[in-house]
Amino acid sequence: MQRWLFFFCKMGKKSPVLCIGEEQPKNCFTELQVLKGHFDIVRFLVQIDDFRCASAGDDGLVLVWNVETGERLQELRGHSQQITAITTITCKNEVTLNTSLITASSDRSLSLWDPDTGNRVQTISDLHSSVKCLLVLERLCVWLSGGEELCVWNRDFQLQCQRPNHSDTGITALIELPKNYIAAAMDKKIMIYSLTVSADSSLSVAEIRCLSDHQDQIRALINVNDGLFASGSHMGELILWNATEWNLLAYEHILWEESQDYNQTEIRMGAPKPSEMSIQHLTTNGNLILAAVGSGLYVYSVQTRSVVAYRKVAHDSNVLHTMLLSDCELMSCSEDGSVRMWEIQDLPLPAEPASSGFFGMWSFGRSNKQSGPPSKKVIDIPNIRMLELTGDLIGHSGAVQMFVSFTEKGLVTCSADHLLILWKNGERQSRLRSLALFQKLEERGGL
Amino acid sequence: MIGSPDVVAFAKEDEYGQTSPDPWPLPEEFSVPLYPLADSNPWAKTSYAKFTKDFILISEFSEQVGPQPLLTIPDDPKVCGTFDLNYFSLRIMSVDYQASFVGHPPGTGYPRLSFVEDSRVVLGDSKEGAFAYVHHLTLYDLEARGFVRPFCMAYVAADEKKIMLQFQELSLRFSQASECLKAGNRRAFAKELQRKLRDLEYTHSVLQREEGLQREAGPQSMYSAHAVEKANELANVEKSIFEHRDLLKQISSYHRRPRRDPHAVTCQKCVDECLSECEELLNKYAKIAYPCGYSEKAGKGEDGQGHPRGQGEDDDDDEEEGVKRKLSYTPQLIKAKSAKCFDKRLKTLQELCDKTFYEATVALLKETERSFRGDLCYLYTRRLDKALQRKQRVTAFLFEEDLSDDDEDELGTLRPFCAVNHAVDNYVLLNPPPIVLTPEPHELDALERPEHLDPASETSVTQESELGLGESHLESSPSDQTLETQESSEETKGSFSSDKSGVGLAEMQQGLVSMKSEAPDPDSDLTPDPNHNLERESSSEEMETTAGEDEGETGGHQTPVSLLEVVSELEANREEECEGVSGSELLAPIDTACCMAQEGFLYEASAPEAVPRLCQNSHLQPSQTLVVNQEPQALLPLQDDYTVGSPCSESPVTGLELPSGLLGDAVSRTSAEDGSDCTMSASTGSDQTASPLGYGAVVTLRQRKKAGQGALRFVRQYPFAIQALWCLLSGRTLVVLGADEGRVRRLVAALALFVPAPGKCGERVQAWLSCPFTLTDLQRWKLIGLQRVASPLGSSMLYSLSRYSRYISILDADQTTLRCPPYRGQLLTNIADHRTYIRRGSTYFLHLQSTLCHLAAKAFLFTFTHHLHLPVSATEGPEVVESRRRCFLQEQLGLGEEDSQILLYLSQLITQQYLQPNGSSAAAPSFSFNYTTSILYKI
């Protein structure tokens, strides 16, 4: 009840700008299952295989779920404090592909779990610091943990090498780059490490370069495609990097400035707060980069190096996680407790300037970034399109932290209200149930 | 189409002038004769009786004072009124029907316990207006004459027919009670024997010691008179020990005897326990005071050698035993002469049986009394109702009240009643005979055994045949010859019809013949020759059906003996239907039995001409057979569709209504209990668990009928009632919002009738909730009463309402508005007409029940029709199936978009129930919804 109150007050401050209503013909999620089991905020979801997923959260529990039935398959207990990172690691075991889970927790331990049996296969405790991110390098059969130090481990949880770093915040994100390089986000910098395998198959890590073009703390770091990676910062900078040369390819500062005629009231509110521009999450499908900026969404095309579509107020509150389903469909979840589905549509009439946003757009010129006010209007950009809300999923009573899509099998969302919700296509489910019914009927030989 | 079955059928009719076979023959069990009591006014009957309602009387034939009533159930002096229990006890106990043979049969030295089976008779006193089913039984008492105490339990009713027609059921129930009493009695008897043996043994040892002392004191080989007396006494005691030991042996062998009484179902565990107990005792007493040992010792004593040692041993033994016994019991000396017969105090019934067993028996009898409340018509319709429901397990959970365990007990399974609760794990499947309203030719009995049976039902068939045998053995206790003669010679007032005694005479002769031909062995009846058996069967048949014989001209109407047969009949019927009708295009795709036929299935558009024929049939049938048909609705959905509101489906409804008015006083007590929900409105329980409406407990029919009144008021009062009902029926959670708890609770209670699959205890309904609800609540409850509060809490509640508005409909009780998606269908106009002419809540409830039944039937059909859900061939995509489904719903069932949603929801529920019958699965329940806009309705 307290939560509701709080939630309501928080919501009450800002009237919902966007409302699709109850008629949502394009929304196929017409059935849901509430999965209970966690006792605290559920922060992470990870897909194990095509029908299982694992959820982890602040209660230190890792639960394995069957997405098809909604059953809880395993309960992985062992961590005494909140889970800070979770990832899967696949071992090619003679014939079978064996997927295990690696979890990191605030209790400064790392664990390897077998999701089939629920056993804790390996565990390392008493680390110097808690691990904030994990990266598995399937190619080298090693995995890395990032925190205040960068450690490289092999499959058997043996430390191969480690490298302390001197930043206060530690490594918040890790990605793999071509040629055994690794990019790590540390506060405002991106550090490039090289991983070298020496003759006696021992590994060593070396710092190669430090990229310090961001003005603020880096919030997101992703691989776009083989040649590109992208990073986003707290103040709305989106930088596209060359993955091999590590140089800056494009710099985009998302300021969310609306034109005067578009929304008079909003402009008077003054300069946008940095939290409204913060890039919370980045996702990509190789062609498009979807950035969750404050409570808005921003779609950026890699080819044209330009914005494709955007919506400043996509949610009532900060967007926490996004996903590109296809080139024109995307999904986002937010602190306001809803998941929204969007479609990138062409403007109904090309002549009509339906959206006219102010952007600070620079290419390769961050030196003059400070100099002028956002002056360049991007109204004339011919290929800007509309981000249309096609449906929303309302169920959680707390912030939706993350979601994982199992395509047609459904969508799993996890939330601060300790629940997971499994959203399914009602028609498909009903068809499956009918199938099961007639199977049972046949087995029994009649009613 | 020349070869299609319906054409052939028509041709046949023309050719032979036969009426076409009824395509939907009604299972015999469900038919009610139109006027079962054609010649008599049923209301005029009961006035003679001096008691207000039926009761159970337990009487005893005391050897001291003669017949005396012991207790009545219910134990309320008002029940019997001015009815003379003493006199009636005298009547029912005047004849010792069991005629137990007591004493020393030739060839045995010891008194024998008589093992007599219970006897069951129907007695009547037409002057008193009392008729009784009388169950005689014998209990053992060590102090009683011949060790037996005759008792009887009688079900006394004013309606003779009720007793006659319920004979089987009564017999079953009372047999259970009797078995329970007897089991307790045997235990108590064995204990008493044990005590007696101990006493005897003690006396024996004391006497022995005395004798020894005397012998030591006196000169050798000299017997004083005193010594002789002592020796005699000793011999007496020894004899007594032998006798009692033999009795113990007999009582423990009780269970090994084959029981002729088919109703005597005993709890196997109890039997085993009792047996082992007895055996233990036997062993113990075989060891102690072993006669040989004693004689050896005596011999030694005579020799004068080693005597002190022997004596000492005896003492030691005694001491040891004494130490053991001290805690529980101190042995007493038994005097040589027992007290005079009339001096002693006879044990009461409670003392005769173990306390637990006695209490269990009383509880059982109370339950029996309760279950036989109401008149025959009421009992009959209720049973039909339940029989129907049991056949509709697949859909019954939707709207029917749940068959609770005791109902199940009453119906399908009869568990051996066990006072110590072993009953849970040993069930015996028995088919209790149905109530017979019409006479049946008894040849039927042997006929129509279903040929194809799965092994599971095979056993029940054998049991059933045992039961049939039992019928024939009812009177075939060794003493029934005497019984018959007594009965026929004695001018008993109206016990049976006059031809009964004739049969009795004939039977007596028959019996005499058999007596002559066979040795007079009391067990000869265990292997009766077929003739004998047949004769007896016919006689028992006669006895059962004389009541209905006078007016029973309902032509070839046969009532199946067991439910099993009905089931098989039903199946056969369905197969027939399948064969006979599959040619007609309309019925083929929707026939239930055809659902499974996947390949070779042709789906065509409906041929409307098949419909009127069908309709005609169902209308014609009653007039032809003079039988009111209550249709097994889930099985015949289409027929239902076309006979809505027709007299033949209405009549059982009106018939059902009758008992509720008639039996006002019989059920008044329960109604007083149920009627409490009005007063509960004053309670201010804000806790959601406090639900005084009784939805935590099993919702009774009574409550539901009462809710019918509320529902009727709702429908008449609110023009948007139809939308609200649609929401409930299509699975959209309805939130009743209001500040006044009583008002909200009443609304919820009324609307709860419309919640499909409300659960046994109404789990899907939350009558009063005063905190904001969450998604899981929506998933759990389909109908929620929500408190409207004006506070920050209220605003958060409103927020949760608006947040989840897509999943719910909101009925605002204070502002009388309803926010829900629009409903434009026609399906519910029938039950939600605010200009309805129905004035009474119970009538509306029944009307509602029938409509909901139709819905359930349609949903059943829809769910189990294969091609509506799955592709018929591999090339078909889901779109084809989808369009076929839509076509079925729209064109064949005539349902619009919104009406289809009801059906889809019900179908989903049925599917879930079928896949997980007890609703227990590890997975979380799923919650479906759809995205539609809501409209605000106002008055």
Side-chain angles (χ1 to χ4, degrees):
Chain A
M1 200 170 307
Q2 281 299 328
R3 201 172 65 230
W4 264 116
L5 257 173
F6 172 69
F7 196 66
F8 177 70
C9 293
K10 222 166 65 174
M11 294 296 98
K13 280 193 286 188
K14 200 190 285 178
S15 66
V17 180
L18 201 65
C19 188
I20 183 178
E22 286 164 346
E23 194 108 32
Q24 300 176 10
K26 284 183 183 169
N27 188 348
C28 67
F29 295 107
T30 53
E31 193 171 308
L32 62 84
Q33 272 175 297
V34 178
L35 311 181
K36 291 183 210 171
H38 282 286
F39 307 106
D40 210 334
I41 300 175
V42 193
R43 291 191 191 271
F44 301 102
L45 282 172
V46 66
Q47 184 169 359
I48 297 172
D49 46 31
D50 60 350
F51 73 100
R52 285 185 299 175
C53 79
S55 62
D58 286 1
D59 51 2
L61 275 178
V62 180
L63 303 179
V64 181
W65 305 90
N66 182 338
V67 174
E68 281 169 355
T69 61
E71 279 172 282
R72 190 199 306 171
L73 298 174
Q74 296 294 343
E75 201 170 301
L76 313 180
R77 287 172 183 273
H79 288 298
S80 58
Q81 285 180 46
Q82 63 191 57
I83 307 261
T84 51
I86 181 169
T87 188
T88 55
I89 180 165
T90 320
C91 306
K92 286 199 187 69
N93 200 3
E94 283 107 45
V95 274
T96 52
L97 270 176
N98 218 345
T99 307
S100 308
L101 290 169
I102 300 175
T103 55
S105 162
S106 292
D107 61 2
R108 289 185 291 153
S109 66
L110 287 163
S111 294
L112 181 73
W113 308 86
D114 182 358
D116 300 322
T117 59
N119 291 335
R120 193 177 190 171
V121 182
Q122 298 277 0
T123 184
I124 295 164
S125 51
D126 299 328
L127 295 168
H128 294 301
S129 62
S130 69
V131 172
K132 289 184 179 161
C133 54
L134 294 165
L135 175 67
V136 175
L137 301 177
E138 298 284 343
R139 229 160 9 94
L140 298 172
C141 290
V142 293
W143 55 275
L144 290 84
S145 66
E148 280 174 24
E149 53 199 358
L150 183 71
C151 302
V152 184
W153 311 80
N154 71 0
R155 289 259 150 101
D156 302 320
F157 269 55
Q158 282 155 344
L159 185 64
Q160 302 294 304
C161 57
Q162 68 177 62
R163 173 132 208 133
N165 73 64
H166 314 289
S167 128
D168 295 337
T169 47
I171 299 169
T172 51
L174 278 171
I175 55 166
E176 184 186 1
L177 298 179
K179 297 179 193 166
N180 289 354
Y181 288 108
I182 287 147
M186 276 183 284
D187 197 16
K188 296 175 188 173
K189 288 174 287 187
I190 296 174
M191 199 68 86
I192 307 289
Y193 292 96
S194 80
L195 207 60
T196 46
V197 187
S198 55
D200 57 342
S201 79
S202 65
L203 286 160
S204 60
V205 178
E207 274 178 35
I208 299 295
R209 191 184 288 191
C210 178
L211 311 173
S212 49
D213 291 279
H214 276 294
Q215 298 289 306
D216 206 341
Q217 195 184 352
I218 295 168
R219 285 292 178 89
L221 180 67
I222 54 159
N223 269 316
V224 178
N225 51 35
D226 286 344
L228 293 170
F229 69 94
S231 59
S233 78
H234 184 67
M235 57 181 279
E237 302 160 299
L238 174 67
I239 300 181
L240 220 56
W241 306 89
N242 187 319
T244 46
E245 317 265 308
W246 315 308
N247 51 4
L248 192 144
L249 289 178
Y251 181 96
E252 191 94 357
H253 193 184
I254 305 161
L255 282 176
W256 286 144
E257 202 81 40
E258 302 275 336
S259 70
Q260 300 279 341
D261 57 327
Y262 187 68
N263 199 332
Q264 292 267 343
T265 51
E266 206 131 320
I267 199 73
R268 302 248 164 81
M269 290 169 80
K273 278 177 277 176
S275 70
E276 287 178 26
M277 306 183 300
S278 162
I279 296 182
Q280 314 275 348
H281 189 255
L282 284 175
T283 184
T284 182
N285 60 359
N287 301 325
L288 299 172
I289 295 174
L290 173 60
V293 186
S295 57
L297 292 172
Y298 186 91
V299 185
Y300 184 81
S301 167
V302 177
Q303 265 105 34
T304 60
R305 304 274 154 84
S306 62
V307 62
V308 175
Y310 72 98
R311 194 177 267 274
K312 190 196 168 192
V313 187
H315 279 275
D316 298 336
S317 188
N318 278 348
V319 178
L320 295 177
H321 192 84
T322 54
M323 186 171 58
L324 276 162
L325 296 172
S326 67
D327 265 352
C328 61
E329 283 174 311
L330 47 110
M331 212 180 254
S332 62
C333 69
S334 147
E335 279 175 5
D336 65 6
S338 68
V339 178
R340 289 186 170 165
M341 287 168 284
W342 307 87
E343 208 173 78
I344 305 172
Q345 291 175 343
D346 289 323
L347 291 176
L349 288 169
E352 187 187 335
S355 61
S356 49
F358 256 112
F359 293 88
M361 282 209 67
W362 294 268
S363 292
F364 302 102
R366 65 166 283 270
S367 52
N368 62 349
K369 190 200 62 152
Q370 312 282 48
S371 61
S375 53
K376 266 204 267 177
K377 270 197 161 190
V378 281
I379 294 174
D380 331 295
I381 295 177
N383 58 349
I384 193 152
R385 296 196 287 174
M386 217 163 68
L387 209 52
E388 195 59 44
L389 183 65
T390 55
D392 61 347
L393 306 177
I394 292 178
H396 287 294
S397 55
V400 181
Q401 298 287 341
M402 200 176 173
F403 57 86
V404 163
S405 172
F406 284 79
T407 57
E408 61 167 3
K409 283 190 180 119
L411 178 83
V412 189
T413 55
C414 67
S415 156
D417 62 0
H418 312 177
L419 299 177
L420 277 84
I421 297 184
L422 191 54
W423 304 85
K424 291 178 171 180
N425 184 338
E427 272 177 39
R428 182 177 179 271
Q429 290 304 311
S430 120
R431 201 159 54 238
L432 290 177
R433 274 193 295 264
S434 283
L435 197 65
L437 175 108
F438 286 106
Q439 260 165 12
K440 188 173 179 186
L441 204 62
E442 208 154 347
E443 278 165 25
R444 281 194 183 178
L447 284 172
Chain B
M1 295 300 279
I2 197 73
S4 75
D6 55 339
V7 176
V8 172
F10 277 121
K12 256 190 185 163
E13 190 185 350
D14 286 342
E15 219 170 80
Y16 299 111
Q18 285 171 347
T19 52
S20 65
D22 179 13
W24 310 100
L26 199 69
E28 296 294 348
E29 215 201 24
F30 301 139
S31 60
V32 185
L34 200 51
Y35 301 113
L37 308 165
D39 61 340
S40 58
N41 179 359
W43 282 274
K45 284 221 77 160
T46 51
S47 51
Y48 305 119
K50 288 174 179 164
F51 47 91
T52 49
K53 56 180 176 184
D54 301 356
F55 61 96
I56 292 173
L57 171 70
I58 300 183
S59 303
E60 183 205 356
F61 196 107
S62 160
E63 61 191 64
Q64 288 170 349
V65 295
Q68 58 172 358
L70 293 181
L71 80 153
T72 60
I73 294 168
D75 199 7
D76 182 7
K78 266 188 285 182
V79 170
C80 316
T82 56
F83 188 64
D84 190 351
L85 285 179
N86 275 313
Y87 176 70
F88 200 74
S89 296
L90 178 68
R91 292 261 309 113
I92 58 177
M93 288 302 282
S94 57
V95 181
D96 191 355
Y97 290 95
Q98 290 176 289
S100 48
F101 180 77
V102 192
H104 298 248
T108 52
Y110 306 121
R112 295 211 66 84
L113 282 179
S114 56
F115 293 113
V116 277
E117 297 288 357
D118 299 353
S119 79
R120 304 160 177 82
V121 281
V122 177
L123 284 175
D125 193 333
S126 48
K127 206 165 78 189
E128 294 278 328
F131 297 88
Y133 164 86
V134 188
H135 194 106
H136 290 95
L137 71 152
T138 314
L139 298 181
Y140 299 117
D141 182 358
L142 204 53
E143 284 153 27
R145 193 173 49 135
F147 307 120
V148 288
R149 298 269 300 270
F151 284 89
C152 87
M153 299 181 287
Y155 185 86
V156 187
D159 185 7
E160 184 185 2
K161 277 198 179 72
K162 179 172 170 183
I163 293 198
M164 296 306 280
L165 300 178
Q166 305 269 43
F167 186 85
Q168 289 294 310
E169 175 90 16
L170 279 167
S171 163
L172 274 176
R173 295 290 198 125
F174 278 92
S175 297
Q176 279 187 338
S178 160
E179 282 309 312
C180 185
L181 270 184
K182 286 196 282 189
N185 172 244
R186 279 194 300 275
R187 242 169 219 223
F189 188 65
K191 263 184 212 157
E192 205 189 343
L193 267 176
Q194 180 187 5
R195 203 173 302 150
K196 186 76 179 274
L197 271 171
R198 249 185 234 153
D199 290 348
L200 283 170
E201 187 196 317
Y202 176 71
T203 316
H204 182 247
S205 69
V206 167
L207 282 176
Q208 215 176 347
R209 207 175 304 151
E210 278 175 11
E211 201 206 18
L213 283 174
Q214 246 174 24
R215 205 174 298 171
E216 257 172 34
Q220 288 278 345
S221 66
M222 270 266 299
Y223 299 106
S224 66
H226 191 65
V228 167
E229 195 185 310
K230 274 280 177 245
N232 277 340
E233 214 170 303
L234 197 61
N236 264 336
V237 170
E238 268 169 35
K239 183 176 173 247
S240 192
I241 288 177
F242 279 115
E243 279 175 7
H244 282 86
R245 205 178 293 151
D246 192 66
L247 281 177
L248 192 58
K249 210 176 289 168
Q250 286 181 47
I251 196 80
S252 61
S253 74
Y254 186 93
H255 298 285
R256 295 204 196 90
R257 290 171 55 257
R259 302 297 302 272
R260 283 181 306 249
D261 191 342
H263 293 165
V265 205
T266 44
C267 171
Q268 199 52 45
K269 240 184 187 168
C270 275
V271 167
D272 291 345
E273 253 177 39
C274 196
L275 263 181
S276 61
E277 213 170 271
C278 282
E279 249 151 40
E280 200 182 300
L281 279 179
L282 261 181
N283 288 337
K284 194 171 163 191
Y285 288 102
K287 201 169 65 200
I288 298 167
Y290 193 68
C292 301
Y294 163 69
S295 55
E296 266 175 33
K297 281 172 199 160
K300 279 177 191 168
E302 264 176 333
D303 289 351
Q305 292 171 353
H307 168 64
R309 194 172 58 88
Q311 187 72 40
E313 264 180 8
D314 260 7
D315 281 349
D316 282 352
D317 276 358
D318 266 344
E319 266 164 28
E320 270 176 33
E321 283 294 314
V323 170
K324 276 186 210 161
R325 279 189 224 124
K326 238 171 220 168
L327 294 172
S328 57
Y329 180 67
T330 33
Q332 292 164 345
L333 271 179
I334 305 265
K335 285 181 186 149
K337 298 277 178 197
S338 65
K340 279 270 186 265
C341 176
F342 288 96
D343 295 344
K344 70 187 173 196
R345 189 189 70 92
L346 284 172
K347 289 193 182 66
T348 62
L349 189 55
Q350 283 99 317
E351 287 166 333
L352 274 178
C353 308
D354 231 27
K355 195 185 167 214
T356 46
F357 282 86
Y358 175 76
E359 277 162 8
T361 310
V362 171
L364 188 64
L365 288 177
K366 274 184 182 153
E367 172 60 33
T368 305
E369 191 268 331
R370 208 173 303 130
S371 74
F372 280 101
R373 271 181 206 172
D375 75 350
L376 201 55
C377 187
Y378 174 72
L379 288 176
Y380 187 65
T381 44
R382 202 183 54 183
R383 199 150 312 177
L384 276 187
D385 224 32
K386 284 186 179 155
L388 266 168
Q389 257 192 56
R390 263 179 304 128
K391 293 200 170 44
Q392 300 176 342
R393 285 254 186 246
V394 188
T395 54
F397 73 99
L398 284 177
F399 298 111
E400 307 289 339
E401 62 178 323
D402 206 84
L403 291 175
S404 51
D405 287 339
D406 52 308
D407 285 337
E408 216 160 311
D409 189 26
E410 183 186 329
L411 294 158
T413 57
L414 175 78
R415 67 178 78 156
F417 188 80
C418 175
V420 247
N421 283 329
H422 291 143
V424 190
D425 44 352
N426 48 25
Y427 262 83
V428 175
L429 193 79
L430 264 186
N431 290 311
I435 307 178
V436 186
L437 272 187
T438 47
E440 51 186 309
H442 86 272
E443 300 89 32
L444 170 79
D445 218 325
L447 287 176
E448 298 198 343
R449 277 280 139 70
E451 280 102 15
H452 53 285
L453 276 169
D454 43 11
S457 63
E458 200 99 59
T459 53
S460 61
V461 168
T462 54
Q463 258 159 345
E464 184 209 359
S465 62
E466 270 176 321
L467 206 141
L469 258 175
E471 262 171 49
S472 70
H473 275 296
L474 269 184
E475 297 173 79
S476 56
S477 69
S479 60
D480 65 349
Q481 278 83 11
T482 48
L483 156 75
E484 292 300 340
T485 38
Q486 274 166 334
E487 197 176 51
S488 56
S489 58
E490 209 177 76
E491 290 297 315
T492 34
K493 297 178 243 175
S495 70
F496 289 136
S497 57
S498 58
D499 62 21
K500 171 66 190 163
S501 56
V503 172
L505 275 172
E507 194 181 351
M508 184 191 74
Q509 282 162 1
Q510 176 78 35
L512 283 174
V513 170
S514 67
M515 285 274 276
K516 270 177 201 163
S517 63
E518 293 163 17
D521 184 356
D523 286 333
S524 66
D525 273 318
L526 280 174
T527 54
D529 54 324
N531 269 338
H532 191 95
N533 200 8
L534 198 83
E535 180 69 31
R536 273 156 201 276
E537 194 161 322
S538 76
S539 78
S540 64
E541 204 62 58
E542 211 90 43
M543 180 189 77
E544 222 183 276
T545 55
T546 30
E549 198 156 76
D550 306 352
E551 63 275 355
E553 294 304 322
T554 29
H557 181 84
Q558 299 170 342
T559 307
V561 179
S562 75
L563 295 169
L564 190 78
E565 282 181 17
V566 178
V567 174
S568 66
E569 253 179 43
L570 260 179
E571 273 164 13
N573 285 343
R574 239 194 293 176
E575 273 161 27
E576 275 170 29
E577 285 159 25
C578 184
E579 281 165 10
V581 191
S582 59
S584 85
E585 293 90 337
L586 171 75
L587 296 173
I590 54 161
D591 194 273
T592 51
C594 291
C595 298
M596 288 302 298
Q598 188 173 351
E599 57 243 329
F601 184 80
L602 277 174
Y603 178 81
E604 288 172 38
S606 64
E609 59 269 15
V611 178
R613 189 169 71 88
L614 206 116
C615 182
Q616 225 175 12
N617 272 331
S618 64
H619 278 283
L620 277 178
Q621 195 185 17
S623 58
Q624 281 167 354
T625 56
L626 284 175
V627 162
V628 177
N629 294 313
Q630 190 174 6
E631 296 153 358
Q633 281 151 333
L635 295 176
L636 309 172
L638 245 206
Q639 191 179 10
D640 283 347
D641 197 16
Y642 293 107
T643 56
V644 174
S646 74
C648 76
S649 68
E650 286 288 321
S651 37
V653 173
T654 48
L656 259 172
E657 217 186 339
L658 181 123
S660 64
L662 255 187
L663 299 164
D665 64 339
V667 276
S668 61
R669 190 172 295 175
T670 53
S671 77
E673 283 160 12
D674 303 337
S676 53
D677 55 350
C678 300
T679 55
M680 286 304 178
S681 59
S683 86
T684 51
S686 58
D687 189 0
Q688 64 184 76
T689 53
S691 169
L693 198 65
Y695 277 89
V698 175
V699 186
T700 61
L701 182 68
R702 190 85 203 163
Q703 278 170 325
R704 284 156 61 87
K705 278 194 177 169
K706 198 161 162 36
Q709 184 62 46
L712 181 62
R713 205 176 303 136
F714 176 75
V715 163
R716 293 166 69 90
Q717 209 171 335
Y718 295 92
F720 49 72
I722 191 166
Q723 278 83 9
L725 301 195
W726 174 72
C727 287
L728 288 171
L729 286 169
S730 61
R732 196 179 169 99
T733 302
L734 183 68
V735 177
V736 181
L737 187 66
D740 177 16
E741 182 178 352
R743 191 183 160 90
V744 171
R745 278 184 183 279
R746 272 195 298 276
L747 266 175
V748 168
L751 289 170
L753 286 181
F754 301 93
V755 178
K760 194 180 267 183
C761 311
E763 294 93 340
R764 309 301 300 270
V765 178
Q766 174 64 40
W768 185 245
L769 185 70
S770 48
C771 58
F773 56 85
T774 59
L775 190 66
T776 32
D777 295 338
L778 290 184
Q779 201 169 6
R780 188 162 29 151
W781 298 316
K782 287 294 169 196
L783 177 60
I784 302 175
L786 190 66
Q787 184 181 20
R788 181 201 294 278
V789 279
S791 68
L793 186 69
S795 70
S796 90
M797 190 178 294
L798 283 180
Y799 177 71
S800 74
L801 274 181
S802 72
R803 182 168 178 80
Y804 293 128
S805 63
R806 65 176 59 177
Y807 305 126
I808 55 175
S809 302
I810 303 165
L811 176 65
D812 194 323
D814 301 330
Q815 289 157 24
T816 57
T817 58
L818 174 71
R819 188 184 170 281
C820 75
Y823 171 73
R824 292 172 293 266
Q826 296 298 309
L827 199 58
L828 301 181
T829 47
N830 195 16
I831 49 170
D833 180 12
H834 71 276
R835 287 185 295 271
T836 178
Y837 290 109
I838 297 173
R839 286 288 175 275
R840 289 187 50 192
S842 58
T843 317
Y844 180 72
F845 172 71
L846 293 167
H847 172 60
L848 187 67
Q849 279 292 87
S850 82
T851 311
L852 294 180
C853 244
H854 290 172
L855 271 180
K858 281 178 188 160
F860 171 83
L861 180 64
F862 176 74
T863 312
F864 286 94
T865 306
H866 185 278
H867 68 277
L868 297 180
H869 303 278
L870 299 176
V872 175
S873 67
T875 52
E876 274 184 354
E879 305 80 31
V880 184
V881 180
E882 170 66 30
S883 70
R884 192 160 47 207
R885 178 162 56 223
R886 185 157 300 154
C887 170
F888 174 80
L889 287 170
Q890 279 175 3
E891 289 174 24
Q892 292 198 295
L893 296 183
L895 302 176
E897 183 63 31
E898 286 93 8
D899 289 337
S900 301
Q901 272 178 31
I902 298 179
L903 222 57
L904 286 171
Y905 176 64
L906 295 184
S907 166
Q908 190 198 337
L909 288 176
I910 292 172
T911 310
Q912 268 168 0
Q913 174 81 8
Y914 187 75
L915 291 176
Q916 295 154 7
N918 35 17
S920 61
S921 80
S926 60
F927 170 63
S928 348
F929 46 89
N930 41 26
Y931 301 100
T932 43
T933 29
S934 293
I935 296 178
L936 191 70
Y937 290 93
K938 289 176 186 162
I939 279 190

